[in-house]
Amino acid sequence: MPSKQEIGTSSLPQEPPQKPPQVAFLKASPPFQAIPSPVPKAPYQTANKEKKNKKMKNGLLIFSAPSGSGKSTIVNWLMKEHPELKLAFSISCTSRAPRGTEQNGVEYFFLSPEEFKAKIEADEFLEYEEVYQDRFYGTLKSQVENQLAKGESVIFDVDVKGGVNIKKFYGERALSIFVQPPSVEELRRRLVGRNTDAPEVIEQRLAKASYELTFAPQFDHVVVNDDLEKAQQEVYQLVKAFLDAE
């Protein structure tokens, strides 16, 4: 009778080709099961810790919108509800006299018309406007840099032309957001609801708004304010992402 060793040897000549897949499968299983091991967790946890401890940068934030779009409401909410963003309005210059309890360097920097014109000649203004003869308003480049140096993120609440010009000057250092009403008809309803303007003034504002809406594509982001809470959260996410970016 042939031995067990002989039987085993003689009865397996056709089977070896079928065994490697089974052996390969068995060998592949342990690494697959070992994927959730402690080894890859260390760098993951370290990355999270670094992200948590990462300091938020400060930056320049430009907000523009037609009158009645809700821009000021959104910006004031952002500053009140998120102090961690360290937001502050840019402090502008004006050639008018202080009113009431206004203080120099708080609400405005108060200059004489001559001083204002001298700074225009020296190209010291980021933007300025003469609203009527010798009544100027403008933002000094040096003041913006001073506020940035203090760790503030500077907010520009400006008209659409000012917003576009400031964005061109600062480029990627600034985030520009255009707050847009859902429609001109909704804007009309809001302006009428304010009950602060005469009908002819409302029509003037609407005509101006139609013109201002043409500037929207020149901004980094357009936020449609058809739901205030939603618009506020959208603006917050945009600002936070910008300030968190490298």
Side-chain angles (χ1 to χ4, degrees):
M1 175 181 294
S3 65
K4 291 182 179 180
Q5 184 176 4
E6 291 173 339
I7 293 174
T9 303
S10 61
S11 59
L12 295 176
Q14 301 301 321
E15 294 184 8
Q18 299 176 358
K19 286 188 177 182
Q22 184 177 7
V23 173
F25 174 79
L26 291 174
K27 286 183 179 180
S29 297
F32 176 80
Q33 295 170 351
I35 285 177
S37 66
V39 177
K41 285 186 178 179
Y44 174 79
Q45 292 171 346
T46 302
N48 276 351
K49 185 175 181 181
E50 289 175 354
K51 185 175 181 181
K52 184 177 180 180
N53 294 334
K54 179 183 173 184
K55 185 179 179 181
M56 183 179 291
K57 73 175 183 182
N58 56 337
L60 303 164
L61 308 170
I62 304 164
F63 289 90
S64 296
S67 178
S69 298
K71 166 177 58 73
S72 296
T73 300
I74 293 172
V75 170
N76 289 332
W77 171 86
L78 190 65
M79 297 179 74
K80 179 182 177 181
E81 297 298 325
H82 294 282
E84 76 280 4
L85 299 177
K86 298 180 181 179
L87 306 177
F89 284 112
S90 61
I91 303 175
S92 300
C93 296
T94 181
S95 61
R96 70 165 174 77
R99 296 170 182 163
T101 58
E102 289 181 337
Q103 300 178 49
N104 187 57
V106 180
E107 287 82 9
Y108 290 98
F109 291 103
F110 295 97
L111 306 174
S112 68
E114 292 71 27
E115 289 173 325
F116 206 107
K117 290 175 183 177
K119 291 185 181 295
I120 292 174
E121 288 298 318
D123 193 30
E124 294 183 33
F125 284 103
L126 175 61
E127 54 84 28
Y128 72 90
E129 181 181 8
E130 185 176 19
V131 293
Y132 54 86
Q133 187 173 2
D134 285 343
R135 177 63 61 86
F136 294 93
Y137 290 88
T139 304
L140 289 169
K141 299 172 186 176
S142 59
Q143 176 58 24
V144 174
E145 295 302 328
N146 288 341
Q147 289 185 243
L148 288 173
K150 288 166 56 179
E152 297 176 343
S153 285
V154 183
I155 290 180
F156 299 95
D157 185 348
V158 292
D159 63 27
V160 293
K161 286 186 177 179
V164 170
N165 289 334
I166 293 172
K167 174 64 180 178
K168 285 181 180 178
F169 183 84
Y170 285 112
E172 294 303 312
R173 291 182 64 193
L175 172 72
S176 62
I177 297 176
F178 187 92
V179 180
Q180 180 173 305
S183 66
V184 173
E185 284 308 310
E186 173 60 19
L187 187 59
R188 180 191 299 276
R189 189 190 67 78
R190 292 179 185 179
L191 293 174
V192 171
R194 283 181 176 181
N195 200 28
T196 57
D197 296 317
E200 59 271 19
V201 174
I202 290 176
E203 292 306 317
Q204 291 171 3
R205 289 185 182 276
L206 289 172
K208 184 179 180 182
S210 296
Y211 168 70
E212 290 173 324
L213 287 169
T214 64
F215 285 80
Q218 298 184 56
F219 286 74
D220 293 326
H221 298 280
V222 176
V223 175
V224 179
N225 183 17
D226 54 353
D227 180 299
L228 180 59
E229 185 175 344
K230 180 182 174 183
Q232 288 171 337
Q233 291 301 324
E234 185 176 351
V235 167
Y236 167 67
Q237 293 299 332
L238 290 171
V239 169
K240 187 174 184 302
F242 174 71
L243 297 179
D244 277 343
E246 293 291 346

